[in-house]
Amino acid sequence: KMHNNLFLLVPFKLQVLKGDQIKCPPMGLETLKIDDFQLHASSTKRYGLGAHRGRLNIQAGIYEDDLYDGAWCAGRDDPLQWFEVDARRLTKFTGVITQGRSSLWSSDWVTSYKVMVSNDSHTWITLKNGSEDLIFSGNREKEIPVRNIFPAPVIGRYIRVNPRSWFNSGSICMRVEILGCPMPDPNNYYHRRNEVITTDDLDFKHHSYKEMRQLMKVVNEMCPNITRIYNIGKSHSGLKLYAIEISDNPGDHEVGEPEFRYTAGSHGNEVLGRELLLLLMQFMCLEYLAGNQRIRHLVEETRIHLLPSVNPDGYEKAFEVGSELSGWSLGRWSNDGIDIHHNFPDLNSILWEAEAKKWVPRKMFNHHVPIPAWYLSKNASVALETRALIAWMEKMPFVLGGNLQGGELVVTFPYDRTRSQGMTREHTPTPDDHVFRWLAFSYASTHRLMTDANRRVCHTEDFAKEDGTINGASWHTAAGSMNDFSYVHTNCFELSMYVGCDKFPHESELPEEWENNRESLLVFMEQVHRGIKGVVRDLQGRGIANAIISVEGIGHDIRTAADGDYWRLLNPGEYRVTARAEGYSLASKKCEVGYEIGATRCDFTIGRTNLSRIKEIMEKFNKQPIRLPVRQLQARRSRERQLKTNICSDQTGVKSKPWVWTCFRFLQSAVTELVFGD
């Protein structure tokens, strides 16, 4: 009821409904829809443990400090403490989810609590169990979330959680999420300001493995001419790793057409990326059919691969308990306990050691570093999913890729491992650092939130001040990442997109998350057409596979695909580019990259070297010289030695410079005649 412009809480004469009949979503403490000014507390131990840190699944830093700790902690441990949320409008509250404190050093959680509701923050009514105050059971440890559904929904603007007991060796510390449905109020300013509506008619829900497979099949049936479903292998439990190809000629690599990939779900509990790729394939199919010229151009000029679930085993674990109760790590690893994203061979150390010994490029290439034999053995701790990914990456001539992660809002780029031993954070750039920075910024700058300087920090890092991007090793070192492996072992430039603070958002959040990421997903795909491209051919016009493409001033080369075509990502500018292949002479030319999207054509034609022709002739004769009679052979050798002395030396017996080239050509023809006969 309204009285003097204040909401007064009406005694709870509400329709009594079973808790499972009221399914209200989280209000948004975890997703940051609830801002810091809506959170209050009775007292605070210190600023870093203030009410603004009492958000479900918020993470503390490794080194806890006064700014970014992992919970709200009361300044005193007594039953008078409370944590309060201001919904800013009448809300039907249906439940509370709690966690303990995120900390490597402390063990703090609340074991029981009361709940109170108010319309004016002065008059409070405690939820009752008959005539007694209702006491809810809290947490038994600090990480696993516990959900309590109210016996009947209650309506108010403010809600408080009042701890009654806590871990006896700890303090009052909580991370909280409130379940609630906003009451209709078209005049509510805060609701209108934050509302994001999508116009795309897509399937916004969380999909089980079976539902994901069915959805991909539906997309394929809607757009059979531009899609193809295939699998790259199986998970530890035998689930197939399905991918969908989107192209105007699915199933075939077209000469001159670059290949792009998005992967998601290497950490099974980071679900948002998986759903974004399922939404993306629906969107591209529908927009292609509708005649969207931007999408048609992408489909006709690019071979796109989407792999939505790298770790389906882990996802099924998280999906089973639901978005609010999976916590921070349930389902992260493969069934055999491996972090798939960081399960690749550490080729960085091999390359850097070779560079330190000055073996590059004389003894070792600066690219396509081979996988060590120990990693390929059956006894190596390598997940089946990782082996499937590596085989896929080696088979397809990918140019650019992005893997979607969760739990943050930032784009990271290689290297992910620090070069200096013992350093946990150190800027470690690749030779293509400027290109990677642009690629990362192309995604972050078109995301609705990543570069917003006013947005709240997800956990402990303010990435917005870095334009929403960071070098992976500058954030935290990690050996054997997918990004580093892709760059050092293949032609593909790979980046990680952390697409949301909430790893597993409620499905009611999916439309807004789609709007946050849709443009970024498209813009990043379009970057595959930036730089130079071409075909390396021999004098007969045949494509040369495995030819090396070098750019002057950049210490990282790439190689041509099976048909001799290549793509080299570069920022705008003028470059001296060289093509070379074993058995062929090298060729160089200047290639200019413009600012507009569309790779510059830069083809090469290279011919066979004399040495390679000699080897070819020897192969023809099974590497055996033509047999000559012994006397004839001795006579020839004597004649050749005499000719060499006469032609290549002057009267003093010293080689004369004007005769050097004549000497070389004569000896070359003489050796050929001697080996192969007349």
Side-chain angles (χ1 to χ4, degrees):
K1 291 183 178 180
M2 293 292 295
H3 179 70
N4 295 333
N5 296 322
L6 291 175
F7 282 107
L8 299 178
L9 190 66
V10 178
F12 291 115
K13 296 178 181 178
L14 299 175
Q15 179 183 0
V16 178
L17 298 173
K18 294 292 185 181
D20 58 1
Q21 291 180 271
I22 302 298
K23 294 185 178 180
C24 287
M27 290 180 59
L29 277 77
E30 183 176 8
T31 62
L32 308 183
K33 272 191 169 183
I34 299 294
D35 65 39
D36 288 350
F37 297 106
Q38 293 175 257
L39 304 178
H40 309 280
S42 55
S43 64
T44 296
K45 185 168 291 188
R46 62 172 183 269
Y47 177 78
L49 293 168
H52 64 293
R53 301 296 294 176
R55 300 171 179 273
L56 191 72
N57 284 322
I58 202 165
Q59 299 296 297
I62 296 176
Y63 308 106
E64 298 174 5
D65 54 38
D66 192 43
L67 293 178
Y68 301 116
D69 271 308
W72 160 67
C73 289
R76 299 181 303 276
D77 292 329
D78 62 52
L80 300 178
Q81 305 306 308
W82 47 261
F83 176 85
E84 178 182 306
V85 179
D86 176 6
R88 286 180 172 163
R89 62 183 296 176
L90 281 182
T91 300
K92 182 187 294 182
F93 299 115
T94 61
V96 173
I97 302 171
T98 60
Q99 272 177 316
R101 177 181 174 182
S102 169
S103 173
L104 294 175
W105 320 107
S106 303
S107 296
D108 305 298
W109 61 85
V110 169
T111 57
S112 68
Y113 58 88
K114 294 180 181 180
V115 174
M116 298 177 285
V117 180
S118 173
N119 278 339
D120 60 5
S121 78
H122 296 294
T123 303
W124 293 88
I125 293 182
T126 303
L127 271 63
K128 299 286 185 179
N129 181 18
S131 60
E132 301 291 329
D133 290 349
L134 187 57
I135 305 293
F136 294 95
S137 295
N139 300 87
R140 296 182 178 180
E141 54 86 72
K142 59 187 176 182
E143 287 299 334
I144 299 176
V146 173
R147 177 177 60 193
N148 281 296
I149 300 298
F150 303 156
V154 292
I155 296 176
R157 171 174 167 172
Y158 302 89
I159 185 168
R160 278 183 181 178
V161 178
N162 168 219
R164 306 303 296 175
S165 62
W166 46 92
F167 178 51
N168 56 15
S169 297
S171 301
I172 295 177
C173 294
M174 302 183 76
R175 290 178 286 170
V176 178
E177 182 62 83
I178 304 296
L179 304 179
C181 300
M183 301 299 288
D185 183 5
N187 298 319
N188 188 285
Y189 164 74
Y190 295 107
H191 176 67
R192 295 198 316 272
R193 184 187 67 174
N194 296 321
E195 193 172 24
V196 176
I197 300 174
T198 184
T199 59
D200 296 326
D201 185 18
L202 307 175
D203 188 22
F204 293 105
K205 61 167 286 187
H206 288 299
H207 298 81
S208 67
Y209 177 80
K210 184 178 180 180
E211 291 168 336
M212 177 194 75
R213 187 177 57 185
Q214 182 61 32
L215 178 61
M216 295 174 75
K217 184 179 179 182
V218 169
V219 172
N220 177 240
E221 290 172 349
M222 288 176 61
C223 296
N225 295 328
I226 62 166
T227 62
R228 176 179 71 99
I229 299 173
Y230 64 99
N231 74 80
I232 68 166
K234 292 183 178 181
S235 71
H236 185 270
S237 68
L239 299 179
K240 292 181 179 179
L241 308 181
Y242 284 108
I244 191 166
E245 175 190 342
I246 304 176
S247 168
D248 61 342
N249 189 21
D252 296 311
H253 171 73
E254 298 179 61
V255 176
E257 186 171 280
E259 307 224 7
F260 176 92
R261 70 168 180 255
Y262 270 132
T263 61
S266 57
H267 298 142
N269 63 327
E270 295 173 9
V271 174
L272 179 55
R274 168 194 174 105
E275 295 303 331
L276 287 176
L277 292 192
L278 294 177
L279 292 168
L280 180 62
M281 64 181 69
Q282 297 173 64
F283 176 79
M284 293 192 72
C285 172
L286 291 172
E287 292 299 303
Y288 184 89
L289 295 176
N292 183 320
Q293 289 304 305
R294 181 187 187 186
I295 300 302
R296 281 185 168 268
H297 183 266
L298 257 176
V299 172
E300 291 165 2
E301 300 297 326
T302 321
R303 192 181 183 200
I304 301 164
H305 304 258
L306 306 178
L307 178 58
S309 190
V310 172
N311 182 8
D313 297 346
Y315 172 78
E316 290 299 300
K317 292 178 183 177
F319 179 76
E320 184 178 355
V321 300
S323 62
E324 293 81 54
L325 302 182
S326 59
W328 192 249
S329 59
L330 179 64
R332 174 183 176 88
W333 298 279
S334 67
N335 258 11
D336 47 348
I338 293 175
D339 183 336
I340 296 172
H341 185 68
H342 297 108
N343 188 221
F344 292 81
D346 175 20
L347 303 183
N348 301 45
S349 56
I350 297 174
L351 175 61
W352 294 339
E353 183 180 357
E355 289 175 346
K357 294 179 178 179
K358 301 189 184 304
W359 288 355
V360 178
R362 184 170 51 89
K363 292 184 178 181
M364 181 174 166
F365 294 115
N366 62 13
H367 63 289
H368 283 226
V369 176
I371 298 173
W374 67 263
Y375 184 89
L376 300 174
S377 69
K378 291 184 178 180
N379 295 328
S381 297
V382 183
L384 288 176
E385 296 88 344
T386 311
R387 294 190 190 277
L389 282 172
I390 290 175
W392 185 48
M393 294 162 74
E394 291 178 333
K395 179 181 178 181
M396 301 288 188
F398 292 117
V399 180
L400 179 62
N403 52 83
L404 306 188
Q405 310 284 338
E408 259 298 349
L409 276 173
V410 68
V411 180
T412 69
F413 52 90
Y415 288 120
D416 287 336
R417 178 183 175 178
T418 57
R419 190 158 188 161
S420 301
Q421 292 289 336
M423 295 293 291
T424 58
R425 291 187 177 192
E426 179 186 57
H427 180 64
T428 310
T430 66
D432 285 287
D433 190 54
H434 292 296
V435 178
F436 274 115
R437 286 180 179 275
W438 167 256
L439 293 171
F441 185 69
S442 71
Y443 193 99
S445 62
T446 50
H447 190 279
R448 285 187 62 252
L449 299 175
M450 277 191 190
T451 55
D452 183 359
N454 296 319
R455 75 170 177 85
R456 190 195 181 284
V457 170
C458 287
H459 300 285
T460 62
E461 304 279 352
D462 186 4
F463 294 115
K465 67 182 181 183
E466 303 291 341
D467 292 326
T469 69
I470 192 170
N471 170 256
S474 294
W475 184 12
H476 53 74
T477 185
S481 74
M482 183 176 180
N483 297 353
D484 288 4
F485 173 81
S486 181
Y487 180 70
V488 176
H489 184 68
T490 75
N491 288 343
C492 185
F493 286 32
E494 180 93 8
L495 295 84
S496 292
M497 292 78 178
Y498 291 79
V499 292
C501 298
D502 188 350
K503 290 183 176 183
F504 197 159
H506 189 271
E507 65 181 33
S508 63
E509 302 289 336
L510 293 178
E512 182 172 347
E513 293 294 356
W514 167 245
E515 288 297 316
N516 289 344
N517 288 276
R518 180 184 58 193
E519 182 64 16
S520 301
L521 290 166
L522 297 175
V523 166
F524 187 74
M525 278 195 288
E526 291 169 338
Q527 303 312 304
V528 77
H529 296 285
R530 183 174 295 279
I532 60 175
K533 68 178 182 180
V535 181
V536 180
R537 297 183 175 90
D538 62 17
L539 297 178
Q540 287 71 44
R542 297 170 298 199
I544 301 173
N546 219 34
I548 298 174
I549 304 297
S550 304
V551 179
E552 188 177 275
I554 301 178
H556 180 81
D557 303 335
I558 56 122
R559 300 201 181 193
T560 57
D563 298 308
D565 46 349
Y566 77 92
W567 306 264
R568 182 51 163 101
L569 297 175
L570 293 167
N571 285 340
E574 190 176 86
Y575 301 90
R576 168 68 63 177
V577 184
T578 301
R580 67 183 186 275
E582 185 177 356
Y584 292 85
S585 57
L586 60 81
S588 297
K589 62 170 64 175
K590 284 187 176 181
C591 304
E592 186 172 346
V593 178
Y595 286 91
E596 65 283 353
I597 284 289
T600 302
R601 190 86 190 189
C602 201
D603 295 323
F604 291 90
T605 301
I606 54 180
R608 301 291 295 274
T609 62
N610 290 331
L611 180 60
S612 68
R613 287 201 295 268
I614 292 174
K615 288 182 178 179
E616 186 178 334
I617 294 171
M618 292 184 72
E619 290 287 346
K620 182 178 179 181
F621 287 96
N622 198 24
K623 298 184 180 180
Q624 296 297 321
I626 296 174
R627 298 297 179 184
L628 297 175
V630 175
R631 290 183 180 180
Q632 184 180 349
L633 182 59
Q634 290 174 341
R636 282 189 176 227
R637 286 175 177 171
S638 177
R639 187 173 73 246
E640 296 302 338
R641 283 195 295 270
Q642 186 62 42
L643 286 170
K644 174 182 175 182
T645 302
N646 293 343
I647 293 176
C648 297
S649 302
D650 56 17
Q651 291 82 356
T652 62
V654 180
K655 288 184 179 179
S656 181
K657 291 182 180 178
W659 291 94
V660 171
W661 179 248
T662 306
C663 172
F664 172 76
R665 297 297 296 174
F666 174 79
L667 289 175
Q668 185 182 47
S669 60
V671 170
T672 303
E673 182 182 356
L674 179 64
V675 175
F676 299 107
D678 295 323

